[in-house]
Structure formats: C-alpha cells, structure tokens
Amino acid sequence: MITPAKPLPLLHMPDRRAYAVKLCLKSPFLFQGLTNARLGIDSAYLRDEKDMPLIPDTQIRGVLRHACTTLAKATDGAVINHQEIDALFGQSSDAGDPEAGTDMPLRACAIFSDLTASIPPQNGHTTRIEIDDEKGRVKDGALQVIELAYPFGQKVVFEGSLIVRHKPGLDADRVEKALNKALALIPCIGSLKSVGFGEVIAEENALEKQPRNTFSLKPTMTDRPFGSDRKLCEMTLDRPLLVNASRIAENVFQSDSIIPGAAIKGALAQRLAFAGMNTDDGGPLATALAALRLSHAFPVAVTSKGIQPLDHALPASLQVVKSADGALRFHDAITLPKGEACLIGGQLPDFAASAKDRVQAQVRDLLGMGVLETPSLNRTHVMIGPDTWSAVDGKLYVTRRRSHRSANGSDQIWTFTADFGAVEDEGAKALLCAALTGPLDGLGRSASTATIHQSDLTEDLPTAEALLKQDHLDIRLLSPAILTDPQMEHADNIWHAHARYFEDNLDGTELFNQFASRELVGGYVAVRHRPYGRGTYYPYVVTRPGSVFRLRLPSEAAARAMAHALRYGLPVPPLNGHKTTWKTCGYQPENGYGAIALHQQLWTAHQSAHDVEPVRAA
C-alpha cells in the first residue's frame, strides 16, 4: 500500500541491461527495401535516412528467437527454456475479455534496434537467372537484377542496440549467456539464403554490455524530479516512430507525427510493471496512474523566433481569400452570429482547413503553424507460417514510420505536459514523478526509447475569475474528443449534441456558435474498448481537432469548470448512462484527449475587417 504515512517504495530496476549488438556478414546479402534508388534494379537493399544499409529490428529479433528455440530444444531447457523465450520476445494477446484482462498484450522484455552498417556502401549489382531446361537458355522473364551494397566477399559489421528489461524472476545473467550462445548459432540472415546470400561470420559477432544505465530512484515527498504538479516536458527518441498509425491503403499503415498521451502513459505503466508494481489492481498506484494527465506530444521546430509548434490542426472557423496581388486575407467566422456568412473584399472566402494544399501551406507559414517535414521510412512485414516456414497468404502489409530526426539531421523534439494535480495520494504522486525520468522504453509499435527532461518553456493558465469577466469565450480543440453519445436523442444533430454537452458537463455553459466536425473511429479502439457492453460493436463519434466553439459562462461554477477543462481537458460524457474509464473508452482527457486552448486570433495582422461584408443566411 502506498500512503504518505509509510515509507515510499523504492522504484528499482537493477536488471535493465543495455547491449551493443554487432553482427558480421560477408557480402552478398540482401535485406530488401521498398525504395528503388537505381534504374534497372529489381531488388534494392533497405536504407536508413542517411542511405546506410541496415538490418531491420524484426529480422534480428526473429533469427535470435529461432536460435534460442533451437537452444531450448537441444539442451532441454538447461540454457534457456520456452517460458523465458516467451518473456524475452513476447507473445500474442489471448482472445478474451478485456474487462477480465485476458487479452492484455504480453510485451517483449527484449527491445532490438535496427542494425546499421558501420562503413559506407559501395553500390554495385549482381544478377540471378533461371535456365529453361528445354531450350538451354535463360527463361523469359527470369532475369533478376539485385542491388549489392558491397562487393562479393567483403566483410561488413552491422551495429545496433538491445535493451533487456528483466521481469521479476527472469535471471539477467542466465539470459545474457543464452543470448550470446544464440548469436553464435546464426548461420545466415536476410533474403536469398538458399543461394548463398547472407553468410554470418559468427566468430566476429558480439553482444557487449554497456555501462550500467539502470535507474533506482527513491522518490521523496519534498524533492520531486519535476518540482511542481504541472510541467512542460521535452522528449527525443532513439529511432523512427510508429504510433497511432492510420490505414492509408488496403495494407499500408502510416504513423502519426503526434504521440498520444496514452502511448506515453502505456510505456510508463510498463516501466512500473517491470519494476514489479501492479498498475491495474485498483490500488493507490493504479488510481494515481489513471488520474495522471499526460497531454499529446506535439513535434516542434526550434527557430530564431523560438519554439514553433508543428502539425496543429488549422482552426475550422478560419476563412481566407487570395486577393489580386496574391496576398491572403483572413476572417474568423466564429465572430459572426450563428447562421451568418460573409464576403471578404467582395469574394466568397474558403475555409482554410479545407483549402488547397498550397493555400494551406501559405496560411501556416503566415500564422507560424508549421508542418513536420521528415522522411517516411517504409517497411514490409509478413507473417511466416509455423509449419510451412513460408509467407502466409494475405498477411503482407507495409508500415511507414516517421523519422526521429529533423530535416537538418538533429534530433526531433516533441513537447508535452505532465500534470499530477489530480493525483490525490502524495506517495503515488512522488513515485510517478520519479518514474517519468530516465530512458522510457517501449514507446509505440517501434518500441522507441524516449529521453524526457523538463522544458524551459512556461505557460499561463487562465483563472476562473478571469474567464468570468469575458462576455464570450472562444476555445479550440487541440486533440480528438468524445463530446457526444451516439445513442443519445438527436445525436445526429451536431449543434444540438454539442450544445447539450457543454450545458450538461460544464455547469450550464452556453453554446453561441461553432465550427466543428465529427468522424467515426472504429477498428482496434472500438473492439478493445466497448462502452455499450461486450455483445455489440460500436464505433466512437469523435469531434476533430481544430473545431472552434464560442461559449458564454453564465456562473462562477461554469467558469471553474472551464478553467478545469483548460488544464485537464474536456471530460467524456456518460456513455449509455454510465461513467467511462480508460477500460471502456480510450479517449480519456487524462490520456491527452479533449485538450483545448483559448482561441486567440493570431491572424489579426493579416485580416481586413473593413472589407468584411456580413451576409445573413436564408
């Protein structure tokens, strides 16, 4: 039990070990990529952002797991057993009831990075052919041109990292010895092994333990790492990012650039779990973790003018026209009475959020709302049948990861807010503060390691008293939010649904005008979190970022509710008459959703109010 009256537990992970992995190969070898950089090449090698050849993390993890399985069978578990292998390399989630915890992902203790070649490539090529047995010549269409990174016979060392987080009961020394033995058992790796590609020089492989970089933090009541209950944090990653992926084609999934607070909190929960703490038992620590608010992490650019936020949604109410001289003129339609439109200089304006790409680019440039420009790194994935050891039909897909480096090659920075103000148990609060330091492993599907430190930036949150003095209040949604119950009466009427939401959930707050849009969100989120029970599938109705609302606060209670929402996010309304939790609805404000900001008109210098002509709608 974590209570202020008792000594705080030691957050201790003595057996988080980091290794430098070296794998030596003799050319030819091929780890096939999707980008073909040379004309006439049928199969090109996989590259990183700097065009260096690499071995993907999934490949080295797969061959090491196979080698460990061979060791387990050959030694009858004396070197490593199957339970240890499952713990190291992970298992599939069981098909079961999330409420009962039977489909919780069984995360791998071992996190591999890509292995990158240690010397620059010397691009060449080779060919493969198939002979027609009857004609004695090359069969038509059976010539393959393969890109070679290095000449035949050249030895190349690939280098990367491995982090092993040992669960309680998993012996670190035994695991290390087994991995060293398994590394020596890898005979070949990559494509075309059957024709001699990918030979591994086992005697030159190495698994080198790095200087001990575990953490063992004793949280204190008076000297918390973040110093106060709310802090802005900066974060960098050690590898490309794959998080909150969206399906952009039938079998292509693209990573988002914005890291949900839920992803950061999930990695934090894993850290606590590997330290032997239960974060899902309803105790003080589990309650505190649920109450901790971690905002979404947005990418930023460091410019001569300071920190510039990237990839924020354009306000849905912002209207724009391009004059004859090419200049843009703005107007914010949220300032008009409900039901009225306007002309700007006699022209019908476009909404900036739905304008052509080149216009949006101009708008963002003028308003200082940039876009993250990093290369996408494409990877192919295929499921191998356990019986056939060949690709399974229909199990091929492609992921597009976001680079963790900015366009100039430096580490890309993300910023987010950690707010401990709603955590009531002081002992648990200090423990969570301590846990949110040091390297945070396992972020997203690429299992990135995040480095987090306190930002020098500051922010001023408005008080309820200041909000109450305003005749009206404009707010903008920064992250997706659940504001409506699709089963409520008149849920299909967006005006009625949002007006009722603000009235019911923010103490009578009145909706005067809005420019908002909604979308259905289903898939994994709706399968795993089902607010209407286990029997029926329902997608969520999500209000999109960029939505703008003009409100009036009729009372002190409404002002206090709005001040609370500006700090912690808009609350999720009851769904099906029941209060939601992170188990029944993944879009909780504590996980970064429903974030709002005062809608400041930053484009005032570029608007031409004297050219605006209100037009009353029929």
Side-chain angles (χ1 to χ4, degrees):
M1 177 72 71
I2 304 173
T3 65
K6 296 181 180 180
L8 295 171
L10 184 66
L11 183 62
H12 189 49
M13 289 180 62
D15 290 323
R16 177 195 183 272
R17 295 189 180 182
Y19 301 90
V21 181
K22 295 183 179 180
L23 195 67
C24 183
L25 275 64
K26 180 186 290 186
S27 184
F29 46 78
L30 178 65
F31 304 94
Q32 190 164 335
L34 293 177
T35 302
N36 194 340
R38 301 176 61 196
L39 184 65
I41 297 293
D42 297 310
S43 300
Y45 63 79
L46 190 60
R47 297 163 161 81
D48 67 6
E49 306 99 309
K50 299 180 179 179
D51 280 338
M52 291 293 288
L54 61 81
I55 303 174
D57 54 348
T58 51
Q59 188 107 171
I60 184 66
R61 182 170 67 240
V63 295
L64 265 179
R65 179 167 196 156
H66 183 62
C68 285
T69 302
T70 301
L71 268 177
K73 292 179 179 178
T75 64
D76 197 23
V79 175
I80 190 170
N81 58 48
H82 292 289
Q83 289 77 19
E84 292 168 325
I85 293 173
D86 287 339
L88 274 176
F89 298 98
Q91 296 174 264
S92 299
S93 300
D94 294 328
D97 185 355
E99 295 291 339
T102 57
D103 71 340
M104 290 295 291
L106 302 173
R107 304 294 188 191
C109 293
I111 299 176
F112 292 86
S113 74
D114 296 332
L115 304 186
T116 307
S118 57
I119 57 176
Q122 306 163 35
N123 293 333
H125 71 274
T126 187
T127 58
R128 294 186 65 222
I129 60 173
E130 182 178 352
I131 300 298
D132 189 314
D133 293 335
E134 295 182 359
K135 299 180 180 179
R137 62 175 178 83
V138 177
K139 183 182 293 187
D140 291 342
L143 171 65
Q144 183 184 20
V145 181
I146 301 169
E147 184 180 29
L148 289 182
Y150 305 95
F152 277 77
Q154 181 168 339
K155 294 181 181 179
V156 182
V157 175
F158 285 77
E159 299 175 338
S161 65
L162 165 64
I163 294 170
V164 183
R165 305 167 297 173
H166 299 87
K167 294 179 178 179
L170 194 62
D171 187 276
D173 292 330
R174 173 178 162 88
V175 166
E176 184 175 315
K177 292 178 182 178
L179 288 174
N180 270 299
K181 291 179 181 295
L183 197 62
L185 289 179
I186 301 174
C188 52
I189 188 172
S191 302
L192 307 177
K193 295 186 291 291
S194 61
V195 292
F197 276 56
E199 179 185 353
V200 176
I201 312 302
E203 59 270 18
E204 298 188 32
N205 295 344
L207 189 67
E208 300 173 354
K209 186 163 64 174
Q210 300 300 289
R212 203 167 182 83
N213 62 353
T214 62
F215 65 91
S216 180
L217 302 173
K218 179 67 174 178
T220 65
M221 300 301 298
T222 58
D223 186 24
R224 295 199 287 266
F226 287 103
S228 68
D229 283 341
R230 181 180 175 89
K231 284 295 180 183
L232 292 174
C233 303
E234 294 182 1
M235 177 170 64
T236 57
L237 305 177
D238 72 330
R239 68 192 68 185
L241 177 69
L242 181 59
V243 66
N244 198 27
S246 58
R247 187 194 297 266
I248 61 173
E250 182 62 28
N251 65 335
V252 181
F253 299 86
Q254 178 169 279
S255 176
D256 198 352
S257 63
I258 301 167
I259 305 173
I264 305 173
K265 187 179 286 189
L268 181 62
Q270 282 187 51
R271 160 169 287 182
L272 296 169
F274 280 115
M277 300 180 183
N278 194 332
T279 60
D280 192 28
D281 61 354
L285 183 57
T287 302
L289 186 62
L292 166 64
R293 184 180 185 272
L294 297 178
S295 74
H296 286 13
F298 286 87
V300 298
V302 182
T303 67
S304 58
K305 298 179 181 179
I307 299 294
Q308 178 189 16
L310 303 175
D311 286 356
H312 280 262
L314 286 172
S317 59
L318 180 60
Q319 294 182 311
V320 60
V321 299
K322 181 176 285 190
S323 59
D325 60 0
L328 295 181
R329 294 181 179 179
F330 300 118
H331 183 261
D332 193 347
I334 199 67
T335 61
L336 297 171
K338 178 187 175 184
E340 288 194 3
C342 71
L343 300 177
I344 303 178
Q347 299 182 62
L348 185 66
D350 292 326
F351 283 99
S354 57
K356 294 180 179 179
D357 289 346
R358 63 177 181 272
V359 175
Q360 286 198 35
Q362 286 182 269
V363 172
R364 287 185 174 276
D365 183 58
L366 285 172
L367 304 184
M369 301 177 68
V371 176
L372 180 64
E373 296 180 355
T374 56
S376 292
L377 306 176
N378 300 331
R379 298 285 176 88
T380 55
H381 306 262
V382 64
M383 179 181 288
I384 302 299
D387 299 322
T388 62
W389 288 101
S390 61
V392 177
D393 291 342
K395 296 297 183 179
L396 171 69
Y397 66 99
V398 176
T399 57
R400 304 188 68 189
R401 304 184 182 193
R402 287 274 189 170
S403 175
H404 62 301
R405 297 189 177 95
S406 59
N408 62 10
S410 61
D411 287 339
Q412 175 60 48
I413 299 173
W414 281 262
T415 62
F416 69 96
T417 302
D419 197 316
F420 301 85
V423 180
E424 297 180 356
D425 188 293
E426 288 296 327
K429 181 186 295 186
L431 182 61
L432 291 176
C433 285
L436 201 64
T437 60
L440 190 62
D441 303 314
L443 186 64
R445 290 295 299 271
S446 57
S448 302
T449 294
T451 300
I452 301 172
H453 58 87
Q454 184 174 321
S455 173
D456 293 331
L457 300 175
T458 59
E459 63 173 347
D460 293 320
L461 292 173
T463 63
E465 292 76 13
L467 294 175
L468 193 59
K469 294 178 181 178
Q470 302 187 34
D471 294 332
H472 61 263
L473 193 71
D474 297 336
I475 64 171
R476 184 172 74 251
L477 199 57
L478 302 180
S479 62
I482 300 288
L483 303 183
T484 58
D485 184 348
Q487 292 195 354
M488 67 180 284
E489 187 179 1
H490 305 304
D492 57 335
N493 185 313
I494 188 171
W495 175 269
H496 177 88
H498 283 157
R500 181 172 174 181
Y501 169 81
F502 286 109
E503 182 180 359
D504 291 349
N505 296 278
L506 275 82
D507 287 301
T509 295
E510 300 173 9
L511 178 64
F512 270 52
N513 201 1
Q514 69 172 5
F515 286 84
S517 62
R518 297 184 294 179
E519 64 180 331
L520 291 176
V521 177
Y524 172 82
V525 173
V527 169
R528 184 165 179 78
H529 307 280
R530 297 191 179 188
Y532 303 109
R534 312 310 308 163
T536 309
Y537 170 89
Y538 280 91
Y540 287 92
V541 178
V542 177
T543 304
R544 291 174 172 147
S547 297
V548 178
F549 305 92
R550 171 157 285 199
L551 308 168
R552 190 180 77 86
L553 306 178
S555 64
E556 292 184 8
R560 287 194 298 270
M562 181 58 66
H564 187 275
L566 283 165
R567 177 173 179 177
Y568 294 106
L570 292 171
V572 177
L575 299 181
N576 198 28
H578 300 287
K579 183 179 179 180
T580 64
T581 69
W582 64 270
K583 292 185 177 181
T584 58
C585 177
Y587 293 91
Q588 297 298 313
E590 294 82 9
N591 294 340
Y593 295 96
I596 57 173
L598 293 180
H599 180 52
Q600 298 175 342
Q601 299 180 20
L602 303 178
W603 44 87
T604 304
H606 305 284
Q607 69 180 355
S608 302
H610 59 279
D611 286 341
V612 176
E613 305 170 27
V615 179
R616 185 172 298 278

